[in-house]
Amino acid sequence: MARGRIRERLRRSHLHPFSCLRPNANDSEGPNPLQGPGFSRIVHCNQPHKHQKKPLKYCSNYISTTKYNIVTFLPKALYEQFRRFANLYFLVAAVLSLTAVSPFSPLSMILPLAFVVGLSMAKEALEDWRRFAQDMKVNSRKASVHKGGGVFGYKPWQKIQVGDVVKVEKDQFFPADLLLLSTSYDDGICYVETMNLDGETNLKVKRSLDVTLPLEDDESFKNFSGIIKCEDPNPSLYTFVGTFEYERQVYPLDPSQILLRDSKLRNTAYVYGVVIFTGFDSKVMQNSTKSPSKRSKIEKKMDKIIYILLSLLVLISSISSIGFAVKIKFQMPKWSYMQPLNTDNLYDPDNPGKSGVAHLITALILYGYLIPISLYVSIEIVKVFQARFINQDIHMYDEETGNTAQARTSNLNEELGQVETILSDKTGTLTCNQMDFLKCSIAGTAYGVRSSEIELAAAKQIAMDLEEQDTQNINVSRYMKSANKEDSRGGPEIELESVITSKCENDQKPAIKGFNFEDSRLMHGHWLNEPNQESLLLFFRILAICQTAVPELNEESGMITYEAESPDEASFLAAAREFGFEFYKRTQSSVFIREKYAHPGQLIEREFKILNLLEFTSKRKRMSVIVQDEDGQILLLCKGADSIIFDRLSKNGRIHEETTTKHLNDYGEVGLRTLALAYKKLDEPEYSAWNNEFVKAKTSFSTDREAMLERVADMMEKDLILVGATAVEDKLQKGVPQCIDKLAQAGLKIWVLTGDKMETAINIGYSCSLLRQGMKRICITVMNSDVVAQDSKQAAKENILMQITNSSQMVKLEKDPHAAYALIIDGKSLTFALEDDMKHHFLALAVGCASVICCRVSPKQKALVTRLVKEGTKKTTLAIGDGANDVGMIQEADIGVGISGVEGMQAVMASDFSISQFRFLERLLVVHGHWCYKRIAQMICYFFYKNIAFGLTLFYFEAFTAFSGQSVYNDWYMLLFNVILTSLPVISLGVFEQDVSSEVCLQFPALYQQGTKNLFFDWYRILGWMGNGLYSSLVIFILNIVIFYNQAFRAGGQTADMAAVGTTMFSCIICVVNFQIALTMSHFTWIQHLFVWGSIATWFLFLLLYGLMPPTYSGYVYKLLAEALGPAPIYWSTILLVTVACILPYLVHISFQRCFNPMDHHIIQEIKYYKKDVEDQRMWRRERSKARQETKIGFSARVDAKIRQLKGKLQKKSSTSVSQNCMASPS
């Protein structure tokens, strides 16, 4: 409470940034401007009963993210199941099985279909129930609502109505979109975190109208009433237009008074607000999209294969029916044993067409085994096991949160192995949004000896290269030493040894948050011994004074912490404190600094009066503060982007520009975020004249007020003197750069979609190696937002199109193979770029760039960009994010991944997969994605192979028996074929198959390209497997008929009957398909051995036991194996001959491929088998370097660029030495 009282005494509105937010009552005079369509909403404050009837009845505050409800579940779920063509076919077959022409009983057709569909629907219901439970958790949250008479009580969120007055307390989420009325601070200020909306963790400042400030407690709302007239519900997060009628006055409203649903109240004890938009009318829900039904590309392609098999089924059924009709017409009358005079409607020689049609139905059902109904059930089972393996992967367990990876839907497992483009949020996904002060340049001297992660990675790679180039190692070492002597700043790009040894220091977490700097020349007051004391003093004071933070005393630790608008600012203040300049107090007009070392042995408290504050904006790219010190000297202190600051330097302020520019380039090269610092001394008359202009602009009521303020600021921020530059390291989430590098090596493209401003997004791009020094940046921005807002949108659109067209041409004409382009576009430009007539031009440019960063984008734009990439490239897209603002793109992408962070679960609930940190995406895709893709692809191909091999033998035999509709197999054989005898081996293939281990997947990320290129499920491979099935069916049928036809097979001379031939043929099929799957598998466990060989053993055991049953049950199979087939050598020799003949072509094919045209995993398997990875490390490293995709982003690309740079220097140095030797040799 003490802390709260201290903060309440500070009226932040007296600072210029906050006073600019205060609406002026004079603006309200005149008629209400909100008329016409789009501005029809009327809200009666504190009178929710008026909104219970039309036309003022608005939607409830209940929200739902489920795909189904009680009414729609059955029709929608059935539609989902029967849009699978195989299920639709079996539904028709089940209906036809009720007719007299069916070769099977209705129960045998209906039960499998009901089982398959019921299992899938139960799985869908369970997944949607989880979404419903999360929705109910949100809808049931309690909020304090005014019940009347100045009394507040708690209500569930779902019962809150438009017009309700709500009280929200610290760290609570806002239950709806509210108009801010008053806060615990006496000037109506509150702090809001909007991470769930725009991804930003920086606190936003909101301020109520002056007229509602007296509404400071519950009792004051007893008689409160007012009317809000405002815009209709829309998805724009950053705009709001409306008026507030209160006590016969009309006041304008703008976004600074609006509190949006799902944002959180921070550092403010409580606020009061009135509900404007509820439920799906709220801006966050307007930005949401409905949960789509997602299907993998393999599943969609599987439907096409089903169509092919259906066409084959119709073809052979037509052949069969025509053949049957011909037999009935011309041959049946001659068969005396058929008694044609006693025909029924199906066997009438006078009406063969009718008989043919009836037989067509019989054939369609009989040959139905070509279309595997058990395929979908088997895939569902396999995917559940795959999902379980993902959930239980210990390498994706986050110890900090205790969360594991979760496959929230198993429908898309194989899609993880085919991703081409990743669209990622920034804040909370890539970054922790924590900055560390690492290096600085002051008066032309570089300080800071710790290395960034980029430097460490480059040094490691160079060291590895030098191990393999012993001769070059000597030259490099000599050059390193000479370069170290010549380089006064101790450049990290050449000091190989120092970079490597600093790793142990860099890996340690800094003891002070935001400060990871080390240099004895500046620490502990040693800067007083430096020759440039005055510049150092100015540098430290700029860090401590040029900011808008509010200091807070932590009563437990006694330390001062800072509520800063950006993490950069917080790191500067932490650095200033460690250098001995602690910012400890702020008042309405001053900041107070404790200077520890300025006067040795004394702790001096200095006051600097804040005269003016010129805010940082993405357009200005700088921030300035005008202060007056205790001696009366007026100073302008400025910090900003180096390109902006350098343009504003005076002639005598450029003394250190060249060296500072070199340092800035070095810092940028190693991924650090940089700002330049400058100052200017002002005379009293000069300042007074300027301040008059500034006040005039600030109090202006015209529409170009912002432009006037900018012009006045430009007048002051010139003729500056450069002091130095800062370099901070953005604290990415653990393992993010390494993960991005691995994904880039795997051939994936990465886009970043963020609500942050362009500068922040660019700096993050450098930190995580999506951008690097030397990469050519294409920045597409709207030149003048004011013009766009008025009447020149067409001109702005044409300008954006011109920028895109020119950039595309530049990319196409680029001849340097190492050149890399990065596209950076802001939200306003993206609005035009996503229009129908321009979006394909934008996409073509983006695809040609190595990396793409979209900044200042709304949740709706994130979803639209994701849709454009998905539909425009026809490639698999993955979206990853952690906040409610990412839900749209997560649902729109082919695969949505939610990060289960600390800020809500909206992204996770909308996702298909959830992980705890971005780095786990590497293993999810490169390992599990690769495995799942190959497993499912091989499983489906094998499924079609075995069903074709089995199903076509039925057709051959039926044709052989005059198209009689007779099955050669016992009914029990046919039922057991898919259910037991061949199901477990194929399931084991889909669950346990590994071409390479997880470690090898991570070491050889290029293996992932097998999925993106679809090498294991392209038409060549699919038709190959179908051809293999056709070949096997012919071999099985022909050899069995040739061997057993008109030939004795028992010792007594008996010939084989249909039962013996059918059983032998079926035995061959079981052996062939199981030996085939054994050859397909690369990785055997005891489970696979058990299932494959156990299936063969199960068949013979079943045949023996079934034959021992009484003839009433076993029929023609009675003691068939024990007495007839078992003792006959021809039975066993036929099985052996047929099996070898069927699998021999496949064995020859894979042997030839491994010897003469091996795939990547074949080579790795050979190396691992012969243990060359252990015995020959150099070869293993060489294969690893060859196996990564050429990439222009990530650590590897940065390291490669740095190596090229160093080698260029080495060659230059070597050529210089040679020329010097040549010149010296004559003497």
Side-chain angles (χ1 to χ4, degrees), residues 1045-1227:
Y1045 192 71
N1046 290 335
Q1047 180 173 312
F1049 81 101
R1050 296 180 65 183
Q1054 297 94 333
T1055 58
D1057 60 0
M1058 191 178 72
V1061 172
T1063 302
T1064 305
M1065 199 180 297
F1066 195 81
S1067 300
C1068 292
I1069 290 172
I1070 296 300
C1071 291
V1072 167
V1073 298
N1074 280 289
F1075 271 95
Q1076 177 66 64
I1077 200 170
L1079 285 175
T1080 304
M1081 291 178 179
S1082 303
H1083 175 75
F1084 269 94
T1085 65
W1086 66 268
I1087 298 176
Q1088 286 155 297
H1089 280 295
L1090 176 65
F1091 285 174
V1092 173
W1093 313 125
S1095 293
I1096 297 174
T1098 300
W1099 157 243
F1100 289 110
L1101 181 62
F1102 163 78
L1103 188 58
L1104 176 65
L1105 297 177
Y1106 184 48
L1108 294 176
M1109 296 177 69
T1112 310
Y1113 299 103
S1114 58
Y1116 294 112
V1117 187
Y1118 179 67
K1119 292 189 178 181
L1120 183 63
L1121 180 64
E1123 295 183 357
L1125 295 179
I1130 195 172
Y1131 171 70
W1132 301 106
S1133 59
T1134 299
I1135 293 174
L1136 179 62
L1137 175 64
V1138 170
T1139 301
V1140 171
C1142 286
I1143 66 173
L1144 189 61
Y1146 181 80
L1147 189 61
V1148 171
H1149 164 70
I1150 60 175
S1151 300
F1152 180 85
Q1153 185 183 40
R1154 281 182 175 270
C1155 291
F1156 299 103
N1157 188 26
M1159 300 181 75
D1160 291 340
H1161 66 284
H1162 292 152
I1163 298 172
I1164 297 169
Q1165 286 170 351
E1166 295 284 335
I1167 293 173
K1168 297 291 284 186
Y1169 180 79
Y1170 291 106
K1171 298 183 179 178
K1172 290 293 184 181
D1173 57 319
V1174 178
E1175 297 172 3
D1176 192 345
Q1177 286 288 327
R1178 182 173 296 181
M1179 182 186 75
W1180 184 247
R1181 283 200 302 269
R1182 184 177 67 248
E1183 290 299 324
R1184 285 181 59 184
S1185 63
K1186 284 163 55 179
R1188 66 182 175 95
Q1189 288 290 111
E1190 184 179 350
T1191 177
K1192 295 177 181 178
I1193 63 170
F1195 261 137
S1196 297
R1198 263 184 159 164
V1199 169
D1200 290 345
K1202 198 152 190 72
I1203 290 171
R1204 286 195 299 270
Q1205 178 189 7
L1206 286 173
K1207 286 182 177 178
K1209 289 185 177 181
L1210 287 171
Q1211 291 173 358
K1212 186 177 179 181
K1213 184 77 174 178
S1214 177
S1215 61
T1216 304
S1217 301
V1218 170
S1219 61
Q1220 288 176 350
N1221 291 336
C1222 291
M1223 292 174 63
S1225 58
S1227 60

Side-chain angles (χ1 to χ4, degrees), residues 198 255 393 560 664 810 814 934 1036 1089 1101 1111 1119:
D198 55 19
D393 190 340
I560 289 178
L664 285 168
M810 179 174 64
E814 180 59 60
K934 292 193 73 173
I1036 291 168
H1089 280 295
L1101 181 62
K1119 292 189 178 181

Side-chain angles (χ1 to χ4, degrees), residues 304-437:
K304 296 179 181 178
I305 303 173
I306 296 291
Y307 298 150
I308 294 175
L309 291 181
L310 178 66
S311 302
L312 178 62
L313 172 63
V314 171
L315 175 64
I316 63 176
S317 297
S318 301
I319 294 171
S320 178
S321 64
I322 292 170
F324 181 73
V326 169
K327 293 284 185 181
I328 291 294
K329 175 69 175 176
F330 298 105
Q331 296 183 10
M332 185 177 169
K334 300 175 184 178
W335 297 337
S336 57
Y337 59 87
M338 294 296 291
Q339 299 180 2
L341 296 177
N342 297 327
T343 61
D344 57 22
N345 291 332
L346 300 181
Y347 299 95
D348 185 358
D350 296 328
N351 193 1
K354 186 176 181 181
S355 300
V357 171
H359 187 79
L360 177 63
I361 297 173
T362 303
L364 286 171
I365 299 174
L366 178 64
Y367 305 147
Y369 281 89
L370 282 173
I371 300 176
I373 188 172
S374 60
L375 172 61
Y376 287 110
V377 176
S378 300
I379 288 178
E380 293 287 350
I381 294 171
V382 164
K383 287 184 175 181
V384 167
F385 277 105
Q386 289 177 348
R388 189 169 180 82
F389 287 159
I390 292 173
N391 297 347
Q392 295 183 345
D393 190 340
I394 193 67
H395 297 288
M396 293 194 289
Y397 172 75
D398 184 26
E399 294 182 356
E400 293 183 11
T401 62
N403 293 330
T404 60
Q406 290 290 325
R408 294 176 46 77
T409 176
S410 57
N411 292 341
L412 304 171
N413 293 350
E414 68 274 22
E415 201 86 331
L416 290 172
Q418 295 186 280
V419 175
E420 288 267 3
T421 306
I422 296 173
L423 299 106
S424 175
D425 176 41
K426 182 189 76 69
T427 308
T429 303
L430 297 177
T431 70
C432 309
N433 221 25
Q434 176 190 334
M435 312 294 174
D436 278 349
F437 190 95

Side-chain angles (χ1 to χ4, degrees), residues 835-1051:
E835 292 184 6
D836 290 340
D837 56 343
M838 200 188 299
K839 62 183 181 183
H840 295 296
H841 297 287
F842 165 67
L843 181 63
L845 170 61
V847 169
C849 294
S851 59
V852 181
I853 298 176
C854 304
C855 40
R856 277 296 177 198
V857 293
S858 67
K860 198 82 169 181
Q861 286 178 317
K862 288 185 177 184
L864 291 174
V865 170
T866 305
R867 182 184 301 171
L868 174 63
V869 177
K870 180 178 71 173
E871 296 178 353
T873 63
K874 305 296 183 185
K875 304 291 186 181
T876 304
T877 58
L878 180 148
I880 179 170
D882 71 319
N885 61 316
D886 304 315
V887 168
M889 73 171 183
I890 285 173
Q891 292 180 335
E892 186 63 50
D894 293 302
I895 305 171
V897 178
I899 291 186
S900 51
V902 295
E903 295 298 332
M905 295 290 286
Q906 289 90 336
V908 170
M909 292 309 299
S911 68
D912 305 303
F913 299 88
S914 70
I915 53 180
S916 296
Q917 293 191 29
F918 183 87
R919 62 190 170 97
F920 296 140
L921 188 63
E922 173 190 347
R923 189 172 181 86
L924 183 66
L925 297 183
V926 177
V927 177
H928 290 284
H930 174 72
W931 283 348
C932 290
Y933 163 73
K934 292 193 73 173
R935 288 166 177 170
I936 294 293
Q938 289 180 311
M939 174 185 173
I940 294 172
C941 287
Y942 172 78
F943 233 108
F944 288 122
Y945 154 79
K946 74 180 182 68
N947 276 66
I948 288 173
F950 175 59
L952 286 181
T953 58
L954 290 167
F955 170 67
Y956 302 150
F957 185 80
E958 200 222 13
F960 185 71
T961 57
F963 301 106
S964 61
Q966 176 65 52
S967 172
V968 69
Y969 306 121
N970 181 282
D971 286 352
W972 275 100
Y973 299 176
M974 301 180 74
L975 286 173
L976 292 175
F977 178 76
N978 280 323
V979 176
I980 293 177
L981 298 177
T982 61
S983 61
L984 293 180
V986 75
I987 288 173
S988 70
L989 173 72
V991 174
F992 298 109
E993 170 65 359
Q994 289 183 18
D995 55 345
V996 293
S997 66
S998 60
E999 292 79 11
V1000 172
C1001 285
L1002 296 172
Q1003 291 173 335
F1004 292 82
L1007 285 174
Y1008 187 81
Q1009 282 294 297
Q1010 292 180 341
T1012 55
K1013 294 176 181 176
N1014 202 20
L1015 296 182
F1016 287 87
F1017 205 65
D1018 57 1
W1019 285 111
Y1020 172 80
R1021 190 168 292 260
I1022 292 167
L1023 294 176
W1025 274 100
M1026 294 172 76
N1028 191 16
L1030 174 63
Y1031 166 79
S1032 297
S1033 68
L1034 286 169
V1035 170
I1036 291 168
F1037 177 77
I1038 292 172
L1039 286 181
N1040 274 276
I1041 293 298
V1042 168
I1043 290 171
F1044 284 96
Y1045 192 71
N1046 290 335
Q1047 180 173 312
F1049 81 101
R1050 296 180 65 183

Side-chain angles (χ1 to χ4, degrees), residues 549-598:
V550 177
E552 293 183 344
L553 178 64
N554 188 317
E555 296 177 356
E556 294 180 2
S557 64
M559 292 282 292
I560 289 178
T561 58
Y562 302 105
E563 248 347 301
E565 288 190 8
S566 71
D568 304 69
E569 200 166 80
S571 69
F572 291 157
L573 290 169
R577 181 181 61 206
E578 296 307 310
F579 290 138
F581 294 77
E582 182 181 43
F583 165 54
Y584 71 96
K585 181 181 177 183
R586 181 189 290 278
T587 65
Q588 283 83 357
S589 59
S590 301
V591 294
F592 295 83
I593 310 296
R594 291 195 187 105
E595 297 186 355
K596 190 174 182 180
Y597 302 114

Side-chain angles (χ1 to χ4, degrees), residues 272-318:
Y272 291 100
V274 62
V275 176
I276 302 175
F277 299 120
T278 51
F280 287 98
D281 284 348
S282 62
K283 288 185 180 288
V284 67
M285 296 306 295
Q286 287 278 309
N287 274 280
S288 67
T289 55
K290 290 188 177 181
S291 300
S293 297
K294 297 182 181 180
R295 299 179 71 209
S296 70
K297 287 181 171 57
I298 283 184
E299 189 175 342
K300 293 175 183 176
K301 196 168 189 176
M302 197 165 67
D303 284 348
K304 296 179 181 178
I305 303 173
I306 296 291
Y307 298 150
I308 294 175
L309 291 181
L310 178 66
S311 302
L312 178 62
L313 172 63
V314 171
L315 175 64
I316 63 176
S317 297
S318 301

Side-chain angles (χ1 to χ4, degrees), residues 61 124 153 262 269 279 313 344 404 478 527 549 586 653 665 693 739-740 772 883 888 1011 1059 1075 1097 1177 1207 1225:
N61 205 36
E124 284 285 311
D262 275 345
L313 172 63
D344 57 22
T404 60
R478 289 173 180 169
W527 60 270
R586 181 189 290 278
N665 290 335
E693 294 294 322
C739 176
I740 288 177
R772 57 180 169 83
F1075 271 95
Q1177 286 288 327
K1207 286 182 177 178
S1225 58

Side-chain angles (χ1 to χ4, degrees), residues 12 21 52 56 137 151-152 176 267 275 319 398 579 584 638 644 717 773 791 1012 1132 1180:
R12 289 157 184 77
L21 296 174
Q52 294 177 356
L56 298 181
K137 185 177 178 182
V151 177
F152 280 72
N267 299 331
V275 176
I319 294 171
D398 184 26
F579 290 138
Y584 71 96
C638 182
I644 300 297
E717 293 168 323
Q773 205 72 11
D791 55 356
T1012 55
W1132 301 106
W1180 184 247

